[in-house]
Amino acid sequence: MPTHGTLHYPPSIVWLRDDLRIADNPAIASAVDRGAPLVVLYLLDEESPGIRPLGGAGRWWLHHSLEALATGLSALGGTLVLRRGAAANELPRLVNEIHAGAVFWNRRYGGPERTVDAALMTSLREAGLEVHSFQANLLHEPWTVTTSSGGPFRVFTPFWNACLAAPHPRDPLPAPNELAGVPDVAGDALDDWKLLPTHPDWAGGLRETWVPGEADASRRLEQFATEDLADYDAARDSPGANATSRLSPGLRFGEVSPFQVWHRVQRGELSPEARHSAARFLGELGWREFNWNILYHRPDLHEKNFRPEFDAFPWHQGEGRDLEAWQRGRTGIPLVDAGMRQLWQVGYMHNRIRMVTASFLIKNLLIDWRVGERWFWDTLVDADPANNPANWQWVAGSGADAAPYFRVFNPVLQAEKFDKHGDYQRTFVPELGSAAYPKPIVDLKESRAQALAAYEQVRRAGGHQQ
DNA sequence: TTTTGAGTTGTTCGA
DNA sequence: GTCGAACAACTCAAA
């Protein structure tokens, strides 16, 4: 077998996916331990069957996150190699080019992704390579959390209780001190991937709001833990208060790991409020775990109702003008419009307002949750294959441990409760109160009644016919 | 083995 | 103005 260099092992490949960080990255740490020079690879795979291409906001984030990652790697003496194409072709191609002896990656949990990874693991091992995969992106891998009868949980609380009763998540791994790279490996230029919008350039609000990359994700975590955690439980529901962590895109792209979050927010001496807040915040991490667990068992989550009786629901598909009014924040309902404009401008929306805007689309406009899910997929910087569809199904009532369908958010009441002085609404809807602001496109009371009537059809189609 | 109670995020209505 | 009940059906675990 040809060797690369003389006294070295054949080089290693670390294949990064949604784990764009150097610290607490078991694939990198293990490859470094192996001692051979290594190539850190990111593959833009828009060809493998079933893998959902990133939306526009996600592509913007990815571009900058890869830039940051490349900088971080080169500071340690390594390089990031970019390639594009189906992983089943491109990974073996790189293996052959550099005569790699080992491949390392962190595990993925979506259906199409697991298919790709399993096939590669088999074929590369048959070709004589070492292949090592690691747990890095979930505190508890889906197959380790089961009910006492061995099946998947369908209700959050017992799921999370089972996680909390399991062995505690491991400590985060430190970043390596240096990386021995492999020189002169060809790769794509990031700009050639054209991940950034140009005509038009709609990313101005994103640039003003976010700094993608591991360094800033760590900074956000540190800031949240030191400055915001104690008040989190009290303030998290106020969209104007800026009381949430804003770690979701960092977790989405793996710039920060759930292990780092888990341990950081529980570190040190905590006041009773902070302890309470930390538990509440970690519960949100728990929902992330729960949603990935659901996706693991239901890989078609973004297209299929988790509860099949919802197949009978008479959704609209957004044929008329209602959908566009919702997307552009011109429904005439201030809190909904503020949320949708926040989303459009900065690629993000406060959690409570996600529920309000989703409920409005599904229950007041009677538009299919999948239509809204696709819009969020395209516009959110943090949309991932598990959380985005699971949360939409949660609001729709069609999901696992979902909100009961009769729970219809009233956006006017929600504004009174959670944005009493209108700070959030005025931030994104400055023309509020002027003649330029549109009249409501639906009557809230009437459309609520229609939604509840439509739900009767689902109930009739459900399990309790008489 | 069977029963029982509790479960992220809400709203409306009537007393 | 405040308060409790009703709005479903089902999963999971404890008793």
Side-chain angles (χ1 to χ4, degrees):
Chain A
M1 186 172 178
T3 55
H4 193 90
T6 48
L7 294 172
H8 296 296
Y9 294 124
S12 305
I13 295 173
V14 176
W15 177 23
L16 295 183
R17 294 87 70 86
D18 290 333
D19 45 10
L20 304 180
R21 64 178 176 273
I22 299 172
D24 195 36
N25 191 316
I28 292 178
S30 187
V32 168
D33 282 349
R34 182 169 179 265
L38 57 97
V39 168
V40 180
L41 168 71
Y42 184 86
L43 263 176
L44 183 65
D45 185 351
E46 298 177 307
E47 294 171 27
S48 292
I51 294 186
R52 224 177 157 186
L54 280 175
R59 291 164 69 85
W60 177 86
W61 192 284
L62 176 65
H63 177 102
H64 294 293
S65 193
L66 288 173
E67 230 168 31
L69 179 66
T71 304
L73 287 170
S74 67
L76 299 177
T79 51
L80 179 64
V81 172
L82 304 176
R83 297 278 175 103
R84 180 176 203 163
N89 301 328
E90 296 307 317
L91 186 58
R93 192 194 308 279
L94 180 62
V95 164
N96 291 332
E97 270 177 45
I98 66 169
H99 308 293
V103 180
F104 299 78
W105 65 66
N106 297 313
R107 287 192 280 277
R108 305 190 283 190
Y109 306 98
E113 291 84 356
R114 278 189 292 131
T115 302
V116 166
D117 293 357
L120 275 165
M121 181 170 279
T122 302
S123 64
L124 292 170
R125 282 182 176 163
E126 279 171 359
L129 279 87
E130 289 175 38
V131 182
H132 302 286
S133 75
F134 302 89
Q135 173 183 1
N137 300 322
L138 288 178
L139 301 173
H140 304 277
E141 294 192 294
W143 52 89
T144 69
V145 189
T146 62
T147 66
S148 46
S149 58
F153 283 99
R154 303 162 69 90
V155 174
F156 171 73
T157 301
F159 167 83
W160 190 229
N161 286 337
C163 291
L164 295 173
H168 283 317
R170 60 163 172 77
D171 285 331
L173 309 170
N177 295 321
E178 57 178 341
L179 296 171
V182 177
D184 304 324
V185 179
D188 295 353
L190 182 57
D191 287 340
D192 290 345
W193 285 0
K194 301 200 184 320
L195 298 171
L196 300 179
T198 50
H199 304 297
D201 172 15
W202 44 257
L206 277 66
R207 285 192 294 272
E208 287 170 19
T209 309
W210 302 102
V211 181
E214 181 174 9
D216 201 66
S218 300
R219 187 194 62 75
R220 286 196 299 278
L221 173 57
E222 197 57 32
Q223 181 176 339
F224 177 70
T226 54
E227 296 173 22
D228 305 318
L229 180 63
D231 283 339
Y232 173 77
D233 190 50
R236 62 192 290 267
D237 270 324
S238 303
N242 237 339
T244 59
S245 72
R246 302 205 165 216
L247 281 171
S248 54
L251 284 162
R252 159 67 181 84
F253 289 94
E255 299 166 350
V256 62
S257 84
F259 297 90
Q260 293 170 314
V261 175
W262 171 270
H263 288 283
R264 181 61 190 88
V265 302
Q266 296 180 101
R267 201 177 80 194
E269 196 95 342
L270 297 182
S271 68
E273 300 80 43
R275 210 173 18 247
H276 191 72
S277 282
R280 173 75 96 141
F281 180 70
L282 292 177
E284 301 302 315
L285 214 51
W287 274 90
R288 176 179 180 273
E289 301 273 318
F290 184 55
N291 292 334
W292 278 103
N293 192 289
I294 293 166
L295 184 73
Y296 175 79
H297 295 284
R298 304 288 282 268
D300 55 3
L301 193 66
H302 72 290
E303 39 199 21
K304 226 159 173 274
N305 290 308
F306 183 89
R307 298 161 174 251
E309 62 269 30
F310 272 77
D311 294 350
F313 198 97
W315 309 108
H316 301 304
Q317 294 302 315
E319 308 86 351
R321 298 188 162 198
D322 286 355
L323 176 60
E324 204 189 335
W326 178 80
Q327 290 171 331
R328 303 298 164 174
R330 290 198 287 264
T331 67
I333 307 291
L335 191 61
V336 171
D337 291 343
M340 297 307 294
R341 294 187 199 183
Q342 180 184 28
L343 174 61
W344 185 247
Q345 285 170 28
V346 307
Y348 175 87
M349 202 193 296
H350 184 277
N351 171 52
R352 173 155 294 275
I353 313 305
R354 295 188 195 203
M355 293 188 284
V356 172
T357 55
S359 172
F360 183 79
L361 185 80
I362 295 166
K363 298 182 181 181
N364 294 103
L365 301 181
L366 285 181
I367 292 176
D368 197 318
W369 62 264
R370 283 160 282 226
V371 175
E373 194 275 340
R374 287 195 291 271
W375 182 254
F376 274 30
W377 179 263
D378 198 33
T379 52
L380 277 173
V381 291
D382 61 24
D384 72 39
N387 288 287
N388 197 49
N391 286 331
W392 272 92
Q393 294 220 47
W394 185 88
V395 176
S398 64
D401 198 15
Y405 193 84
F406 59 75
R407 187 181 287 166
V408 180
F409 285 74
N410 179 330
V412 175
L413 207 54
Q414 288 281 308
E416 284 168 15
K417 284 185 185 170
F418 300 109
D419 190 34
K420 197 167 179 48
H421 305 296
D423 297 340
Y424 175 78
Q425 292 163 87
R426 273 192 308 275
T427 301
F428 295 102
V429 190
E431 82 275 26
L432 207 58
S434 79
Y437 188 66
K439 298 271 177 293
I441 59 172
V442 286
D443 180 86
L444 292 175
K445 189 173 175 168
E446 200 175 291
S447 54
R448 175 181 196 271
Q450 276 176 12
L452 293 174
Y455 178 59
E456 286 300 313
Q457 294 185 42
V458 169
R459 289 178 56 193
R460 277 199 295 276
H464 64 114
Q465 302 95 338
Q466 283 201 303

